[in-house]
Every structure is written in C-alpha cells, then in structure tokens.
Amino acid sequence: MARARTEHGDRRDPHGPPGPRRWREAAEAALYGPGGFYLRPEGPAGHFRTSVHASPLYATAVARLLEQVAAELGPRPGPGTGTGPGPGTGTAGADEVAFVDMAAGRGELVTGVLAAADPGLRVRAYAVERADRPEGLDPRVEWVAEPPHGVRGLLFANEWLDNVPVDVAQADDTGTPRYVEVRQDGTEQLGAPVTGADAAWLDRWWPLREPGERAEIGRPRDEAWATAVGTLADGLAVAVDYAHMAGARPPFGTLTGFRDGREVPPAPDGTCDITAHVALDACAAAAATHTGAGTGAHTGAGTGASTELIPQREALRRLGVSGERPPLALASTDPAAYVRALASAGEAAELTARGGLGDFTWLLQRVPGEGYCPA
C-alpha cells in the first residue's frame, strides 16, 4: 500500500471525480453509495471467499450454537405468572428463538442455519443487509435494513465489522497523528490533525508513537457493535473477523482491497472491497459499557464466559467441527461413508487452519435479559 504523502489542499473539478476525502467518507460512498461495491449484483461472494462459502459445516456449527442459546434461554417470562411474547418490535414468542444475521450478503449463512437447525426449534430469522433481498430466498427469512429490537436469541456478525468504514490516521514527521485523505484512484495525502473523540480513541486503543505509523480509527465499529448488541433483549452476540488486540497492533495498519478473489491496493472507486482488521477488544469494551453485555461472570451458551475473544479454530471445535481424518478401517466397511467423512474433514481443516480461516477471532458477548443480574 502506498504511504500517505504530506502535501495539503486540492482543487476539485466539479465535473470530475471527488477530490481527496477522509477514508471513512470515501469508503462509505464506494461500498454502499449508488453503484457501490456491496450493492452490485454479484455480491461479495463474487470477489472473496468467507467461511460461509468454504463449507456448509460453518452454518451447521452456527446452528448448533443457536440451539445452545435457545436451550439456555428457555421460555420467555411473560406478564403475571405465565409465559408469552413480550413487547417490542420483532419480539419472538415464548417458544421461539431469533437468529439475526448481520451483513447477510445474499442470505447464504441464514439459509444454511435454517437448514441445519433442529426441525423442532422454532426460529425467527432476520437477514440484516443494505442490498436488496435476493430472489428465491427462504420466505421464513425477514429481510431488514436494521437489526430488530427486543429479540431473544443469537445475533451473529460474520465479517461485518471489517467493512464498517473507518478513518485512517498517520503520524507525521513530528509524530502528530493526522487524518489520511484519499482520492478515488487510491492516492493519499495527510490532512488535519486528529482531534476529539477520534484522538481519545487512538490514545486508548492504538497510540501512534513514531512518524509514519498508521492506524485505523475503530470508533465507528465500536459504536456499530454496541448498537447491534443493544438490540438483543437476551441472548448471545457474536462477531467474527480478522482482528488484533492492544499491545499487538500492526504498526502500519491493515487497510487493503479485494477484487475478483485477489488482494489489491485499496481505492474507493466502487470496484473493490475495502477492508481492515478489527480492534475487537475495543468493540467488546464498547458493548459492555453501553449495554452491560459481558460484564458478569455468567457462562454463555457454549462460550465458557460472559465475554470471550477466541480463535475460530477453538470456537468451531467447541461446536463439533474437527479436521480429524476418519479411521482408515471405515474405508473397508463403508467406502462411501469414508469418502464423505474424508471430504468433511478436509472442509473442517480449512475452516480451522492456522494461517487461514482458523485465525479469525470470535468475540462472544452474553446479553443479560430481564431478571438476570450479572455477578
């Protein structure tokens, strides 16, 4: 990625592409504006492969997590001494559990979860997405622009936060963090000093200590995650992304682009994905502060704690996804079963591989419902 240049100012041609803008504004327009990358007909799957696309085992694991959440929640307390639906938009009934698929793409994950879930489990499924509803999607899926409020269940955000646009900061020759501005072709320059809430976020979560160091200012992601978690009345919120933690931030940031399955220099022209790894520790803290999620010692469904940050390989293994090869003896007794088990093991190995999809981080946060007091 080209480093930012230090000149300032720009003359805009009113009939040409926009002049330099901060990365957050430029990426928002390129990804989600008219003709934006995420609104194109082929969708994200036309340009990169996620865990959802790698194997149906992923959706099966998420369905298993949903079942665990439903078992932990039990019936919803209703008015008086009985149980029943509570108030609120999108509220699930007493014997119903919600599955909220954030940044649902073309509905691949929610479709797989509904197919894999126990037939006896009543699921109210929501796909949260800016793009139009795809044709042929399971009619049980409610296609919405924002997550529903007041539901009980599992909110799952697979590779959503990395596409929430953020500003980029770079320390100038004096060590002062400045906003990085970008033109539509991806060329950069340094802008004004970082101030206010953005400066406070950098000081706490990603301080820039040397000239030339860069950071993605994750405050909009913190706010987006806290807002999403706050829509749950009770249940579990999970975010899955490439991530980094305090004390191990990359010195030059992670901003990059993807087009047609290949990594490319990021350019906010609508032809490529623009992504950056997520400071999930900051997101977790924001949700805990604003919603109370994960503030106690309560054990969440299959998570082992009220808030956890764990590698995908560990999360999936807890949910029964293993890359272990089937016993060779099965090849003699049931060759067809052996071939199926071998293929499944290969897919599981890809989902849990070091240096690949297994390096994703899962943030799991338990949201206490009415009547639950964190320890």
Side-chain angles (χ1 to χ4, degrees):
M1 183 198 313
R3 298 269 67 83
R5 295 179 289 110
T6 57
E7 57 265 36
H8 302 272
D10 182 75
R11 286 176 171 261
R12 296 191 182 189
D13 178 355
H15 304 294
R21 298 179 287 179
R22 293 179 185 173
W23 263 109
R24 183 182 179 188
E25 178 187 356
E28 177 71 29
L31 296 178
Y32 305 111
F37 178 82
Y38 274 94
L39 306 184
R40 294 169 61 166
E42 71 272 19
H47 295 269
F48 51 87
R49 191 164 178 255
T50 71
S51 296
V52 177
H53 308 115
S55 170
L57 293 175
Y58 190 79
T60 299
V62 177
R64 190 169 293 121
L65 181 60
L66 177 63
E67 292 165 2
Q68 292 177 1
V69 170
E72 182 187 67
L73 289 175
R76 178 178 187 137
T81 58
T83 61
T89 303
T91 301
D95 57 349
E96 203 172 45
V97 63
F99 178 68
V100 183
D101 182 9
M102 298 294 298
R106 296 299 180 264
E108 300 95 334
L109 177 59
V110 66
T111 298
V113 168
L114 287 174
D118 186 327
L121 183 67
R122 289 187 59 195
V123 180
R124 189 163 183 178
Y126 303 87
V128 184
E129 180 56 65
R130 296 195 190 190
D132 293 336
R133 181 188 183 100
E135 293 184 6
L137 184 67
D138 190 317
R140 293 175 292 175
V141 178
E142 299 183 40
W143 196 264
V144 294
E146 301 290 341
H149 284 262
V151 298
R152 302 169 76 240
L154 174 62
L155 181 144
F156 201 90
N158 185 70
E159 294 194 54
W160 167 48
L161 290 172
D162 69 300
N163 290 123
V164 173
V166 293
D167 278 320
V168 178
Q170 179 174 321
D172 66 14
D173 291 341
T174 69
T176 300
R178 292 182 176 273
Y179 291 106
V180 177
E181 298 176 343
V182 62
R183 293 182 174 85
Q184 198 171 69
D185 64 1
T187 58
E188 295 179 334
Q189 65 185 44
L190 293 187
V194 179
T195 58
D198 285 344
W201 191 92
L202 284 177
D203 287 343
R204 179 179 180 185
W205 294 108
W206 199 338
L208 300 179
R209 306 189 185 282
E210 300 291 338
E213 289 187 343
R214 287 167 66 109
E216 292 94 35
I217 304 172
R219 185 174 59 84
R221 294 170 173 178
D222 296 357
E223 294 171 353
W225 179 242
T227 298
V229 174
T231 64
L232 279 179
D234 197 2
L236 183 69
V238 180
V240 183
D241 254 305
Y242 277 126
H244 43 65
M245 307 297 160
R249 308 283 189 214
F252 302 111
T254 61
L255 186 72
T256 191
F258 283 92
R259 182 192 300 117
D260 298 328
R262 295 185 178 184
E263 188 170 5
V264 297
D269 59 3
T271 68
C272 68
D273 185 27
I274 298 171
T275 180
H277 295 191
V278 183
L280 278 180
D281 50 348
C283 294
T289 299
H290 293 289
T291 70
T295 55
H298 181 82
T299 299
T303 68
S306 58
T307 293
E308 279 193 297
L309 287 157
I310 57 175
Q312 174 158 296
R313 68 183 67 89
E314 179 179 343
L316 290 182
R317 284 170 183 161
R318 290 183 186 180
L319 295 168
V321 177
S322 171
E324 294 182 5
R325 295 169 63 93
L328 190 58
L330 184 63
S332 300
T333 59
D334 192 339
Y338 178 78
V339 170
R340 290 193 299 271
L342 194 61
S344 179
E347 293 175 4
E350 180 181 3
L351 290 172
T352 58
R354 295 184 182 275
L357 295 175
D359 289 343
F360 274 86
T361 298
W362 284 40
L363 164 61
L364 305 101
Q365 290 191 282
R366 178 69 165 86
V367 178
E370 183 179 356
Y372 167 66
C373 296

